[in-house]
Amino acid sequence: MTIRRLPENLVNQIAAGEVVERPFSAVKELVENSLDAGASRIQVRVRSGGQALISVQDDGEGMTKDEMLLAIERHATSKLPSGDLWNISSFGFRGEALPSIASVSRMTLTSKKKGSDDAWQITINAGVVSETKPASLTLGTMAEVRDLFFSTPARLKFLKSHNTETDYIREIILKMAIAYHKVSFSFQEDDKKPLVFEACLDEKSRIASVMGEDFIKNSVEVFFQRDNFKITGFAGLPTLNAANSRHQHFYVNGRAIKDRNIVSCLTAAYGNLMPPRRYPEAVIFIEMPLKDVDVNVHPAKTEVRFRDTNLVRGAIISAVRKALETGGKHTSGTIASAALSHFQTAPVYKPYSAPKQNSFSSQSILCDSGSVQWHMPKPQPELGPISTSVKIQKPMEEEYIEENHSKQLGVAIAQVHNAFIIASTDSGILIIDQHAAHERIVYENMKKNFQDKNIKRQLLLIPEIIEMESAAVQRVLGISSVLEEQGLAIERFGESALLIREVPEILKNADYKAIFKDIADEILDMDDTAALSSMLEKIWTTIACHGSVRAGRQLTIEEMNALLRQMESTPNSAQCNHGRPSFIELKKEDLERLFER
């Protein structure tokens, strides 16, 4: 077979297959060109999901007649003045976008150079260039792409519905709007009302306008800096999560990217704060020297390669975790809104007369259902787990309330269904899940004790024999050395049983069979190369779940307030080890709204 050169139009169509995958790819390339041209206002219009029309107009620097002719040639660009591929500070550096788009569409390019009196227009029909002619344009450049992929009809078969393609385009506009808050963006689909983001003074305002005020209110600021490497942005509270990762936005030197390594870093940073199969919401900006990142590894420029991947990974995890620990005693306000939506007014079927008294009495007051206990606040034990054995001197009621009511989690006033604690604060009330809250406390204590090598152990006078499936026994024995460090001393006892000689003190009265079954299940999907930290987290989570206060246990007021005080001093106490919220806050205004006040 004879080797030959391919025709120019076919070469451009092949390049288009790499650069212009679908309509949103064309929009992305054109908008990036506008940003590189220094535009302060960018208007995008699409029809039929971008297939019938894509129009991008800006007020940027514009082009002369000769520059327009060069712009539609392959590998012609103004964005590599030094010729150094390791020093790319612009978006479109390949010089392939315009000729690639023009080869598979009917494209009209109109531009007026800043400071010039003349505007020019050129039309390209499936790669065939017309003569340049004078045009009318106030400033900048307008690119109109019609009948996208008409010259490559096979590509049309792979496009999705117009609504879906429009969603892709809208998403890329939103991503760019987040990164460039000083630029005004307008997006109009068909004849609908345009979506407009006016220029903002700061990133926070733009993020709020794009992602909503709820995201800003329910997120924490992320910051990390080392020399010329910097990470900023916002990470949503664990209780503000989504069913997919579309609400995660990552930027490297202003470039929106999709990088699996960075996504995995964010997932690792949240760890067990995130419920299973849920995704955190976040906006992360990474700024670093141009020479330390290669943006030339993907035709569509959506992926990058870092010179020091470990630095980037460690910095993201550290920055996000630190931010979450700072704001770890808060839950998303959306949870309270969801809770309020389930309240409904109901008639009172039976009047109830409370005992006559000036304040809460020290004895419980049981409602007709017997499911609610009201208590007078008392002080809490300062150290140790929740326990009724701690002797406390009873202070004056008013003195105790005044001292603790203004604290973050307030004072406990009731227990509902032996599972939930009601606490009163200066700003409203809290509903605390006692098991979830104590589970997080136990987990964080175990982690700290492990780091301090201070795990308290309990030697069993009579070793416990646990029968399990032989495969489960084998899995557990495979990590026996790791379990030993956590205070769980085990041995094989036949083919399908374990002998337990020692347990952590917190598990001295627990169901050992249930614990080891859960541990075996947790490590089932972990291979031999699993990181020790991941394995430890699985073990700590299992032990904490079995070693914490269970729902159904009646607590004294001392125990309830002890739990609140321990939550206030525990990192990430707003979530249990499975990512569920440990409490819900209802503000005073929320309560007033319920009663239409």
Side-chain angles (χ1 to χ4, degrees):
M1 183 176 293
T2 304
I3 298 176
R4 63 186 180 89
R5 292 182 181 274
L6 294 175
E8 186 68 19
N9 66 322
L10 186 56
V11 171
N12 283 332
Q13 288 178 6
I14 292 173
E18 295 180 340
V19 179
V20 189
E21 298 176 272
R22 24 187 13 106
F24 89 85
S25 304
V27 173
K28 175 179 178 291
E29 296 289 348
L30 295 174
V31 172
E32 285 179 348
N33 282 342
S34 296
L35 291 170
D36 281 336
S40 62
R41 180 173 293 275
I42 300 174
Q43 296 173 300
V44 180
R45 292 186 299 120
V46 299
R47 291 186 181 278
S48 303
Q51 184 182 335
L53 171 68
I54 295 173
S55 172
V56 178
Q57 183 172 359
D58 65 59
D59 61 352
E61 186 177 342
M63 293 178 285
T64 64
K65 176 181 178 180
D66 292 338
E67 287 175 338
M68 289 176 63
L69 290 171
L70 274 175
I72 58 174
E73 292 186 13
R74 296 190 69 228
H75 304 305
T77 181
S78 63
K79 302 165 187 177
L80 274 177
S82 65
D84 183 4
L85 285 176
W86 284 97
N87 191 29
I88 299 169
S89 58
S90 61
F91 286 111
F93 59 89
R94 288 175 173 270
E96 292 181 348
L98 288 179
S100 296
I101 296 171
S103 69
V104 292
S105 68
R106 297 183 173 92
M107 187 170 82
T108 301
L109 199 61
T110 309
S111 189
K112 181 179 181 181
K113 184 77 172 182
K114 185 177 291 186
S116 174
D117 295 331
D118 300 320
W120 297 91
Q121 185 178 89
I122 189 170
T123 301
I124 310 97
N125 192 336
V128 179
V129 183
S130 68
E131 290 187 5
T132 308
K133 59 182 181 181
S136 175
L137 190 68
T138 305
L139 184 67
T141 301
M142 180 172 67
E144 290 185 325
V145 179
R146 300 180 186 275
D147 302 326
L148 186 64
F149 299 131
F150 86 96
S151 61
T152 53
R155 180 60 62 95
L156 293 174
K157 299 177 181 179
F158 294 93
L159 296 183
K160 298 184 179 179
S161 69
H162 291 166
N163 287 337
T164 300
E165 296 296 342
T166 301
D167 285 343
Y168 291 154
I169 296 172
R170 186 187 302 107
E171 184 177 355
I172 200 65
I173 297 297
L174 296 182
K175 282 184 177 293
M176 292 185 175
I178 289 174
Y180 291 87
H181 61 275
K182 295 181 180 179
V183 178
S184 173
F185 288 85
S186 172
F187 172 65
Q188 183 179 25
E189 54 174 299
D190 299 318
D191 295 322
K192 297 181 181 178
K193 183 179 179 181
L195 178 65
V196 179
F197 299 106
E198 296 295 347
C200 300
L201 296 176
D202 54 62
E203 290 175 344
K204 187 174 183 178
S205 300
R206 173 55 63 82
I207 293 172
S209 66
V210 175
M211 299 189 67
E213 287 289 345
D214 275 347
F215 173 76
I216 294 297
K217 291 178 181 178
N218 298 294
S219 63
V220 291
E221 288 198 51
V222 176
F223 182 83
F224 174 93
Q225 186 165 13
R226 180 186 297 174
D227 299 327
N228 294 327
F229 181 82
K230 185 178 180 182
I231 295 177
T232 57
F234 293 85
L237 294 173
T239 44
L240 180 72
N241 51 62
N244 54 53
S245 59
R246 292 186 66 178
H247 300 282
Q248 297 177 1
H249 305 279
F250 302 99
Y251 302 86
V252 176
N253 294 337
R255 185 188 302 275
I257 65 167
K258 292 180 179 179
D259 190 286
R260 293 179 181 177
N261 290 328
I262 293 183
V263 171
S264 68
C265 291
L266 186 66
T267 303
Y270 278 81
N272 61 8
L273 300 179
M274 187 60 52
R277 294 176 295 281
R278 301 292 293 182
Y279 297 83
E281 299 185 11
V283 177
I284 303 296
F285 299 100
I286 302 173
E287 298 175 30
M288 60 196 310
L290 299 176
K291 61 183 177 61
D292 291 337
V293 57
D294 183 4
V295 298
N296 195 21
V297 298
H298 192 279
K301 304 185 291 292
T302 57
E303 297 178 8
V304 296
R305 181 183 293 121
F306 299 105
R307 177 168 291 183
D308 190 345
T309 304
N310 291 334
L311 170 64
V312 177
R313 180 177 177 83
I316 292 175
I317 294 175
S318 175
V320 173
R321 279 185 176 174
K322 183 178 180 181
L324 292 174
E325 287 178 1
T326 303
K329 295 177 182 63
H330 301 277
T331 57
S332 166
T334 57
I335 295 180
S337 300
L340 287 170
S341 67
H342 288 83
F343 278 90
Q344 58 182 354
T345 57
V348 179
Y349 294 105
K350 187 164 96 175
Y352 171 72
S353 299
K356 294 182 178 179
Q357 51 187 19
N358 296 326
S359 60
F360 293 119
S361 70
S362 58
Q363 71 180 78
S364 299
I365 303 173
L366 297 181
C367 294
D368 292 335
S369 63
S371 61
V372 181
Q373 294 185 94
W374 298 90
H375 299 273
M376 178 194 72
K378 295 181 183 179
Q380 71 289 342
E382 295 182 356
L383 300 173
I386 299 175
S387 172
T388 57
S389 62
V390 180
K391 300 298 181 182
I392 305 170
Q393 183 178 359
K394 177 181 173 181
M396 295 293 292
E397 295 177 34
E398 295 81 1
E399 183 180 330
Y400 177 79
I401 294 174
E402 183 178 349
E403 179 183 349
N404 293 277
H405 198 264
S406 60
K407 291 187 176 179
Q408 189 172 17
L409 301 183
V411 291
I413 59 174
Q415 184 186 28
V416 182
H417 295 298
N418 289 340
F420 304 100
I421 298 170
I422 309 297
S424 175
T425 69
D426 283 344
S427 58
I429 65 171
L430 301 179
I431 305 174
I432 300 104
D433 182 335
Q434 64 190 44
H435 173 66
H438 197 227
E439 189 176 27
R440 170 58 65 178
I441 293 171
V442 173
Y443 175 90
E444 295 295 341
N445 283 340
M446 286 196 65
K447 184 164 69 173
K448 184 177 185 303
N449 289 337
F450 175 76
Q451 294 167 348
D452 297 341
K453 298 182 179 180
N454 186 34
I455 295 179
K456 297 181 180 179
R457 305 164 184 263
Q458 177 72 46
L459 185 66
L460 300 181
L461 295 177
I462 302 176
E464 186 96 10
I465 299 174
I466 303 297
E467 293 186 357
M468 302 170 63
E469 293 181 0
S470 57
V473 169
Q474 192 63 35
R475 287 200 302 272
V476 174
L477 287 172
I479 60 167
S480 59
S481 59
V482 179
L483 295 175
E484 171 70 28
E485 293 179 342
Q486 310 308 310
L488 287 163
I490 60 174
E491 298 175 8
R492 178 188 289 277
F493 193 80
E495 286 296 320
S496 57
L498 291 173
L499 185 70
I500 305 173
R501 295 192 178 278
E502 193 176 50
V503 297
E505 187 178 45
I506 195 169
L507 295 179
K508 59 185 178 182
N509 296 317
D511 183 347
Y512 302 130
K513 183 174 183 179
I515 291 172
F516 280 96
K517 181 180 182 301
D518 286 351
I519 289 177
D521 290 342
E522 287 283 5
I523 64 175
L524 177 61
D525 297 326
M526 300 181 69
D527 56 31
D528 296 335
T529 62
L532 176 62
S533 58
S534 299
M535 194 172 295
L536 287 174
E537 287 181 0
K538 296 282 188 182
I539 295 171
W540 290 335
T541 297
T542 302
I543 293 177
C545 184
H546 287 271
S548 56
V549 171
R550 314 295 290 186
R553 173 179 161 183
Q554 182 176 321
L555 302 179
T556 66
I557 195 64
E558 293 95 334
E559 292 175 321
M560 285 188 256
N561 278 294
L563 186 63
L564 299 183
R565 301 292 82 82
Q566 290 178 25
M567 287 176 67
E568 289 171 345
S569 61
T570 300
N572 305 310
S573 59
Q575 296 83 31
C576 75
N577 310 329
H578 307 288
R580 295 188 296 270
S582 60
F583 68 86
I584 295 174
E585 181 178 13
L586 298 179
K587 299 288 188 180
K588 182 182 177 184
E589 49 267 31
D590 294 330
L591 299 173
E592 290 175 341
R593 202 162 63 241
L594 280 175
F595 294 95
E596 301 179 1
R597 295 182 61 180

